[in-house]
Amino acid sequence: TEQGKRRVNYYLKHLLQTPDGEFASTLRWLAKAKNPKLVCHPIVVLLSETLWGRLVNRTFLFHKSWFIFTLLVFILAQAVLSGPTMRLQGGPARGWALIV
């Protein structure tokens, strides 16, 4: 013991992955428990940060960037196409209408 603490080894692999190689439901179970002390444990924090930093971050940003792109297209289309004398005879207005 050092300063009244014991050295402990934690194996994150078993919290992240099942023996079959599938993604483990550890974080889902911890969220369902609704216990703030359990979620604040350093291993759970390390587990969630590892997952976020290496895997989930890219997927999340990709989906959000696609949402932002479609939102911008919608806003631009509404800005260009809105108005009482809008006619879809051709040109860029028709292209925006087709995208939206």
Side-chain angles (χ1 to χ4, degrees):
T1 61
E2 258 182 52
Q3 298 176 353
K5 295 184 180 183
R6 242 184 222 177
R7 180 186 167 117
V8 178
N9 293 329
Y10 294 104
Y11 296 98
L12 284 178
K13 179 182 178 182
H14 303 292
L15 296 174
L16 283 172
Q17 196 176 33
T18 63
D20 301 330
E22 300 291 324
F23 178 71
S25 300
T26 308
L27 289 177
R28 186 177 307 132
W29 296 335
L30 291 172
K32 282 183 181 179
K34 297 182 182 178
N35 186 348
K37 286 185 179 181
L38 189 62
V39 175
C40 291
H41 191 276
I43 288 305
V44 176
V45 171
L46 180 62
L47 175 68
S48 61
E49 286 179 357
T50 302
L51 250 159
W52 175 257
R54 295 187 181 177
L55 180 68
V56 181
N57 188 12
R58 291 184 200 113
T59 306
F60 176 78
L61 290 178
F62 174 74
H63 288 294
K64 288 302 171 185
S65 64
W66 180 251
F67 171 73
I68 295 293
F69 172 73
T70 56
L71 180 66
L72 286 174
V73 168
F74 176 75
I75 290 172
L76 289 173
Q78 291 299 317
V80 171
L81 295 178
S82 65
T85 60
M86 180 189 73
R87 294 184 190 142
L88 294 177
Q89 295 176 351
R94 184 176 185 149
W96 281 109
L98 291 176
I99 289 174
V100 173

